[in-house]
Amino acid sequence: MGRDGSVPTLGQEWGEQVFAQLSWFRQEQLERANVMVVGCGALGNEVLKNLTLFGVGHLTVVDFDTVEPSNLTRSVLFRRADADAGREKVAVVAERIREINPTVSVLPLSGDICHDVGLGLLRRMDVVVGCVDNRWARYCLNRLCMRAGVPWVDGGIDGLEGTARVFVPGKNCYACNLGPEALKELSYRLSCSSVIRRNEAAGRVPTTPVIASIIGAVEAQEAVKLLHPEELADGQLTSLCGKMFYYEGQHLASRVVDFVGYDEECPVHERWTPIEKTVLTTGWRIDEVLNYLSERFGTDHLEIVLGDHSFVDYLVTRRDERKFKVMLPDYAVERFVEEDAELRHLPSQALYQHEIRSIDAGFPYMELTLREVGIPEWAVLRVCTEQGDRYVELADERNYSKFLFQNEEV
Ligand SMILES: [Zn+2]
């Protein structure tokens, strides 16, 4: 019951009553906020649980996996029946979040942060929370956040150890902080074609529910702080940005160490601005897109940079130069090879992939759509023109903005 004897509404319960004692806490700020959580594993479960209890208004969740029995020992939002039915993690967490706090709206996106999330969506986030388990996903997430100018929180767990960090565009960048070992692994990833990378071992790290709780809690705390920029500016709150929180459970040690890197020359944290909105969607054909852009920019000399991934039109056997038609973005080639009765028996070195990295008037497959060359919905295209680069945003074809802003203008 409320102070005046009335039954409180859910919104009141979550805001005024529960956190009224926190001098810095601004419920209305959280209710308006858009937070994306990338990864719905052990860490993601904990982060989502906390953000839901805090009453963050709009949560976008991204993951490509389904619930498995092994997830059940450390993921508070999953149930046995979810694993038995092989449900998508994002669908399950969305349902549980709504049960816990019906004032929160959730947008579940089943996909991979490295190629399925458009910058148009990501740049409308206030904060992104990374709950991923590998460097490549962190690298991709950092690249998107830096382009968009959105701060992000990173968490990592391994056994009884864990770390949390905050990256803010203009101040601190994940890529600029990479050590030699990580750089080596990433440069291999960036330089090798996906056929060669085939059968890469996906390293699984041991996880306990306790370490996920601790690191997930710190991540959620930092995300909530980033939603209070004024309180951060006037010193009521201090961000982890530029530092790293480290926790070790076996002998119980925790510390906060300086951890900052921002190299002005780093190409990864280049901000994409200004971004121009257009009516283009992923269903447009390449020839239509080029015509539209030529007219818009008043020139035929332009080039759409695929950049983050290439388009593979065919694979060739090195020995006898036999061609296999593929017509897929490079991230889908590995699967293509595995599913082909003949190709899957060839060693990686026996094949090379023919890749296209940008699209101009000479592109041989004008009838393909943007979707077919691997451009995600609500993406931003980098277009090179004689006057320099332009950043062209596709239309919000799924109408996500209605969810993000509840009918407000984007
Ligand atoms: Zn950087």
Side-chain angles (χ1 to χ4, degrees):
M1 293 231 290
R3 289 184 192 109
D4 57 359
S6 64
V7 177
T9 66
L10 270 166
Q12 282 168 342
E13 206 165 282
W14 247 278
E16 297 143 30
Q17 304 213 338
V18 182
F19 304 119
Q21 300 89 337
L22 300 175
S23 61
W24 52 269
F25 190 79
R26 308 244 304 269
Q27 187 69 34
E28 67 294 347
Q29 202 107 317
L30 263 70
E31 279 169 14
R32 272 199 308 270
N34 272 297
V35 177
M36 180 183 283
V37 176
V38 181
C40 297
L43 263 184
N45 266 253
E46 290 295 319
V47 167
L48 287 166
K49 176 204 75 180
N50 285 321
L51 295 179
T52 301
L53 294 174
F54 261 127
V56 169
H58 310 267
L59 293 172
T60 298
V61 291
V62 181
D63 198 300
F64 55 80
D65 246 339
T66 51
V67 180
E68 288 176 35
S70 62
N71 304 137
L72 300 174
T73 53
R74 44 204 169 240
S75 307
V76 70
L77 302 175
F78 299 152
R79 305 286 176 265
R80 183 80 219 181
D82 305 323
D84 291 344
R87 296 180 66 195
E88 286 183 339
K89 286 181 178 176
V90 288
V92 176
V93 298
E95 192 179 295
R96 301 286 136 73
I97 289 167
R98 292 182 195 117
E99 277 172 27
I100 294 171
N101 185 348
T103 68
V104 175
S105 55
V106 199
L107 175 63
L109 290 185
S110 184
D112 188 326
I113 189 65
C114 295
H115 42 75
D116 293 325
V117 177
L119 195 69
L121 175 64
L122 192 129
R123 77 185 183 103
R124 287 168 173 87
M125 295 295 140
D126 298 295
V127 177
V128 175
V129 187
C131 302
V132 296
D133 61 0
N134 66 84
R135 288 193 187 111
W136 178 243
R138 287 189 180 93
Y139 179 85
C140 295
L141 177 53
N142 180 70
R143 184 166 60 185
L144 285 171
C145 288
M146 294 292 144
R147 276 177 196 165
V150 175
W152 74 283
V153 184
D154 176 47
I157 52 177
D158 186 354
L160 298 182
E161 287 183 341
T163 57
R165 294 175 292 182
V166 172
F167 298 100
V168 176
K171 289 185 179 167
N172 196 15
C173 160
Y174 173 75
C176 291
N177 272 298
L178 287 171
E181 185 209 343
L183 276 174
K184 204 173 130 198
E185 184 193 293
L186 277 177
S187 59
Y188 169 77
R189 173 104 212 176
L190 286 162
S191 61
C192 285
S193 76
S194 44
V195 216
I196 301 288
R197 289 201 315 264
R198 183 156 64 103
N199 302 328
E200 247 175 27
R204 294 227 160 194
V205 293
T207 309
T208 69
V210 170
I211 194 71
S213 292
I214 291 168
I215 299 300
V218 173
E219 285 195 271
Q221 178 106 69
E222 290 304 311
V224 167
K225 284 189 207 164
L226 290 166
L227 296 174
H228 290 80
E230 286 168 33
E231 288 74 10
L232 280 171
D234 71 14
Q236 280 192 72
L237 298 171
T238 300
S239 166
L240 191 60
C241 179
K243 301 192 186 314
M244 175 172 78
F245 171 75
Y246 169 81
Y247 176 87
E248 189 276 311
Q250 197 162 352
H251 304 292
L252 188 60
S254 71
R255 54 184 174 269
V256 173
V257 293
D258 284 340
F259 198 90
V260 65
Y262 201 79
D263 176 0
E264 291 303 331
E265 301 295 303
C266 164
V268 170
H269 64 235
E270 183 183 12
R271 178 84 189 258
W272 282 18
T273 184
I275 287 175
E276 307 172 40
K277 294 183 205 169
T278 67
V279 295
L280 297 169
T281 65
T282 55
W284 283 48
R285 288 162 39 135
I286 298 298
D287 52 357
E288 295 168 337
V289 174
L290 289 174
N291 284 339
Y292 174 89
L293 293 174
S294 291
E295 206 158 293
R296 185 178 179 108
F297 299 144
T299 173
D300 287 335
H301 298 282
L302 46 82
E303 184 184 7
I304 302 166
V305 182
L306 290 174
D308 297 348
H309 61 79
S310 58
F311 177 74
V312 178
D313 49 357
Y314 52 87
L315 293 169
V316 186
T317 55
R318 288 185 197 275
R319 221 176 65 174
D320 47 9
E321 302 214 325
R322 272 186 304 143
K323 275 189 180 184
F324 294 83
K325 196 173 176 192
V326 180
M327 306 298 279
L328 290 169
D330 65 353
Y331 54 79
V333 171
E334 187 183 334
R335 187 174 206 171
F336 174 86
V337 171
E338 292 308 323
E339 288 175 357
D340 185 283
E342 187 177 357
L343 291 174
R344 71 165 170 244
H345 296 299
L346 295 174
S348 302
Q349 298 82 349
L351 290 168
Y352 72 86
Q353 64 188 33
H354 184 262
E355 300 174 283
I356 300 176
R357 296 194 167 272
S358 66
I359 293 173
D360 59 15
F363 186 68
Y365 311 108
M366 289 292 177
E367 71 289 356
L368 294 180
T369 61
L370 287 176
R371 186 181 301 123
E372 286 166 327
V373 298
I375 305 292
E377 284 151 13
W378 214 2
V380 176
L381 304 176
R382 180 187 201 137
V383 183
C384 298
T385 73
E386 288 144 326
Q387 286 83 40
D389 288 354
R390 307 283 289 255
Y391 302 104
V392 175
E393 184 174 273
L394 308 190
D396 173 19
E397 61 196 89
R398 295 260 184 143
N399 209 4
Y400 289 145
S401 34
K402 195 172 171 191
F403 159 84
L404 302 175
F405 305 101
Q406 293 180 332
N407 300 323
E408 280 174 42
E409 273 292 304
V410 180

